[in-house]
Each structure stands twice: as C-alpha cells, then as structure tokens.
Amino acid sequence: MTVEEIVAKIADVMVDVFDVDELDVTEATSADDVDEWDSLSHIRFIITLERLFKIKFLNEEIADLKNVGDLARVIQAKLPA
C-alpha cells in the first residue's frame, strides 16, 4: 500500500473520529490544523487506526509523530509486504 493510499484511509478515519463533514488532509496535516484534534480524540484516532490496519503502535512511535505523513509512513512500515 502506498503512502498516498494510507493517507486517504487516514483522512476517512479523521472525518469520522473528529466528527467533521470534510477535511483537506495532506501529509503535512497535523493536530494544529484540526480544531477537533484534542488529547481524547487523539486516543480514539490511534485506536481506530490500529483496528483498521490491524497493527499496534509503540508509545515512542506515537510520541515522534509530527504529521499525517509521519503517521502514514509508520503504518506502511508495519503492514505486511
């Protein structure tokens, strides 16, 4: 799966978890760009992504994330080849 495909899936999850009608999500999108992205919704966001992609994030991985592109690359690395 490409990073672009993963970003598209992340965007779908963001619309649902952050309860917004639409979001313009790019690899550069971060929590600063989404008003609804608070600490509680961040936890729901990560759990939803883990279930969708059938992966588990390490705490260190989550702490190092700066934007959706970072998140997509971590997910891509965890997916089977």
Side-chain angles (χ1 to χ4, degrees):
M1 187 177 293
T2 68
V3 167
E4 292 79 18
E5 292 169 330
I6 295 169
V7 169
K9 288 184 179 273
I10 290 171
D12 290 342
V13 170
M14 290 174 74
V15 167
D16 183 49
V17 169
F18 301 135
D19 195 25
V20 293
D21 292 331
E22 65 179 68
L23 277 174
D24 183 22
V25 177
T26 69
E27 289 187 42
T29 302
S30 71
D32 294 337
D33 301 316
V34 182
D35 292 339
E36 295 79 3
W37 194 337
D38 59 20
S39 58
L40 182 58
S41 63
H42 181 75
I43 293 168
R44 288 187 12 234
F45 179 48
I46 293 298
I47 290 171
T48 302
L49 290 173
E50 285 180 332
R51 289 180 179 158
L52 174 66
F53 291 102
K54 299 179 177 35
I55 60 172
K56 282 287 191 190
F57 293 106
L58 301 174
N59 289 338
E60 304 82 41
E61 292 170 330
I62 295 170
D64 290 343
L65 298 174
K66 303 288 187 246
N67 55 43
V68 169
D70 290 348
L71 179 58
R73 283 182 282 283
V74 169
I75 292 170
Q76 185 183 43
K78 290 180 171 290
L79 294 176

